[in-house]
């Protein structure tokens, strides 16, 4: 199988390294010629994944033409660049190819789900397809055991994704629930900011467990409102990714939250992370969607208030704790 990974950040690089262990013809595409030249010369991505060498057969290119000759184009760019990437790709694609993405989040300007953007920009010829789940890039790049979900309503797309990535230390599970897989991958970033804030403020393990559990309840409520399958949200791309990002400091979202909890302002916290932190913009869009759909998401609302309304961390915690008592399971 011929595979092109678009995006020279940590996740795109890690997936390219893994794919190149399984297939001979894999190319990592980056926007700038000088970046491509540096990666070819150094044979590692020293900025994002230092010390992890590229397989000998992994090609690096900044040539837009590389996507025309591959079977699978897998996009791993920040969500804010997703639409522009599709528009750039569209005239270079050919019938019979599979387009999928490993991007998590919503469009920062509109709040659109990524599958909605894909349908708008690519049409029905390329059905939406993605991979998501509990995965830190460095561990995938090192070949450590990982399980991911491939989501699409196209069996052909699922076959391509599984064929491209399933093998060695990476296991792929199939799921037709595109919206559910997208929702889990986006919302877990906001909840990781929440648990990071709590840990940075010194609130302890009890608070972290409560935020994760009630955060899952918020994920399930929003999932019901948008038509996600309940099993998806308790699977790899929902609960699995939530556990990962809320408990390990490899998560940029959790690290940013910890800095906020320690008293740093958002601008300083983002500068110290030094990479894209999807949960910051996703918090804005999720909060807007929750209001539009009349879905109760108090944790996400308080994260939004801390990020965008200068609400002090301890005031946000007080507001959550002083809410009226309610049933844990309203249906019961």
């Amino acid at each position: 199988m011929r595979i092109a990974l678009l995006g020279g950040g940590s996740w795109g690089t890690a997936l390219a390294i893994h794919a190149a262990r399984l297939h001979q013809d894999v190319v990592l595409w980056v926007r700038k010629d000088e970046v491509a030249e540096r990666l070819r010369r150094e044979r590692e991505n020293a900025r994002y994944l230092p010390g992890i060498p590229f397989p000998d057969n992994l090609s690096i290119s900044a040539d837009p033409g590389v996507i025309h000759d591959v079977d699978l184009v897998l996009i791993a760019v920040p969500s804010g660049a997703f639409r522009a990437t599709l528009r750039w790709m569209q005239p270079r694609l050919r019938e019979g190819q599979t387009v999928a993405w490993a991007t998590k989040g919503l469009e920062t300007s509109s709040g659109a789900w990524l599958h909605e953007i894909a349908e708008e920009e690519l049409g029905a010829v390329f059905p939406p397809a993605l991979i998501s789940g509990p995965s830190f890039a460095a561990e995938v790049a090192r070949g450590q055991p990982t399980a991911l979900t491939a989501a699409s309503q196209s069996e052909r797309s699922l076959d391509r994704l599984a064929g491209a990535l399933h093998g060695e230390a990476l296991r792929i599970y199939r799921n037709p629930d595109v919206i559910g897989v997208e929702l889990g991958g986006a919302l877990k970033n906001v909840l990781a900011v929440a648990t990071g804030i709590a840990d940075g403020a010194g609130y302890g393990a009890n608070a972290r467990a409560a935020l994760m559990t009630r955060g899952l309840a918020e994920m399930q409520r929003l999932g019901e409102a948008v038509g996600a399958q309940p099993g998806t949200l308790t699977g790899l791309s929902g609960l699995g990714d939530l556990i990962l990002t809320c408990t390990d400091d490899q998560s940029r979202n959790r690290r940013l939250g910890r800095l906020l909890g320690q008293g740093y302002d958002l601008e300083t916290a983002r500068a110290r992370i030094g990479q894209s932190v999807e949960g910051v913009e996703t918090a804005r869009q999720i909060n807007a969607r929750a209001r539009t759909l009349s879905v109760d998401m108090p944790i996400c609302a308080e994260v939004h208030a801390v990020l965008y309304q200068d609400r002090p961390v301890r005031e946000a915690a007080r507001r959550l704790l002083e809410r009226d008592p309610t049933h844990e399971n309203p249906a019961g």
Side-chain angles (χ1 to χ4, degrees), residues 37-321:
E37 176 56 34
R38 175 174 54 79
L39 294 177
R40 280 194 293 264
R41 182 178 65 253
E42 297 177 355
R43 299 305 298 172
E44 71 171 56
N45 193 332
R47 178 178 179 185
Y48 294 113
L49 295 173
I52 303 177
F54 293 165
D56 292 340
N57 62 303
L58 177 60
S59 300
I60 313 296
S61 179
D63 177 4
V66 298
I67 68 172
H68 182 73
D69 296 321
V70 300
D71 303 301
L72 170 66
V73 181
L74 184 54
I75 304 163
V77 300
S79 58
F82 188 72
R83 186 184 294 273
T85 301
L86 293 185
R87 287 181 175 174
W88 169 85
M89 286 171 49
Q90 196 278 333
R92 298 174 169 88
L93 295 171
R94 57 177 173 78
E95 190 174 351
Q97 290 178 301
T98 297
V99 176
W101 61 90
T103 301
K104 298 176 181 178
L106 288 79
E107 185 171 46
T108 53
S109 59
S110 70
W113 299 108
L114 300 188
H115 79 269
E116 295 172 333
I117 300 170
E119 289 168 347
E120 291 173 10
E121 300 298 335
L122 301 182
V125 176
F126 300 101
L130 69 148
I131 59 167
S132 190
S135 49
F136 289 132
E139 295 188 11
V140 171
R142 293 190 189 104
Q144 293 180 268
T146 303
L148 297 175
T149 298
S152 181
Q153 294 189 349
S154 162
E155 285 297 324
R156 185 171 180 274
S157 297
L158 292 175
D159 287 344
R160 280 270 171 89
L161 281 169
L165 299 174
H166 184 93
E168 293 197 0
L170 181 57
R171 181 172 178 81
I172 298 291
Y173 289 85
R174 300 171 180 234
N175 192 328
D177 182 16
V178 170
I179 184 65
V181 171
E182 282 189 312
L183 188 156
L187 188 50
K188 60 89 182 182
N189 286 330
V190 182
L191 297 170
V193 173
T195 58
I197 289 171
D199 282 349
Y203 287 147
N206 293 352
R208 186 190 317 125
L211 287 168
M212 291 171 62
T213 307
R214 297 312 302 165
L216 177 61
E218 294 188 15
M219 187 183 292
Q220 290 170 322
R221 287 198 292 270
L222 183 60
E224 183 179 7
V226 300
Q229 296 298 310
T232 300
L233 302 180
T234 55
L236 288 167
S237 59
L239 178 60
D241 216 353
L242 179 68
I243 292 170
L244 185 81
T245 53
C246 287
T247 60
D248 194 296
D249 281 342
Q250 291 182 74
S251 164
R252 296 191 295 269
N253 294 281
R254 174 177 159 77
R255 294 204 314 270
L256 180 128
R258 287 192 61 162
L259 291 168
L260 296 174
Q262 291 165 5
Y264 292 93
D265 61 58
L266 178 57
E267 182 179 354
T268 302
R270 293 178 91 163
R272 287 175 67 109
I273 298 297
Q275 296 184 49
S276 172
V277 183
E278 293 283 1
V280 174
E281 289 298 330
T282 302
R284 187 200 306 271
Q285 301 300 345
I286 287 292
N287 194 56
R289 278 187 177 267
R291 290 198 306 269
T292 299
L293 296 169
S294 299
V295 177
D296 186 30
M297 301 182 72
I299 296 172
C300 291
E302 292 303 324
V303 171
H304 178 270
V306 170
L307 292 173
Y308 294 109
Q309 299 170 3
D310 295 323
R311 180 165 294 163
V313 166
R314 296 191 181 279
E315 171 66 10
R318 184 191 65 78
R319 288 168 60 90
L320 286 172
L321 289 169

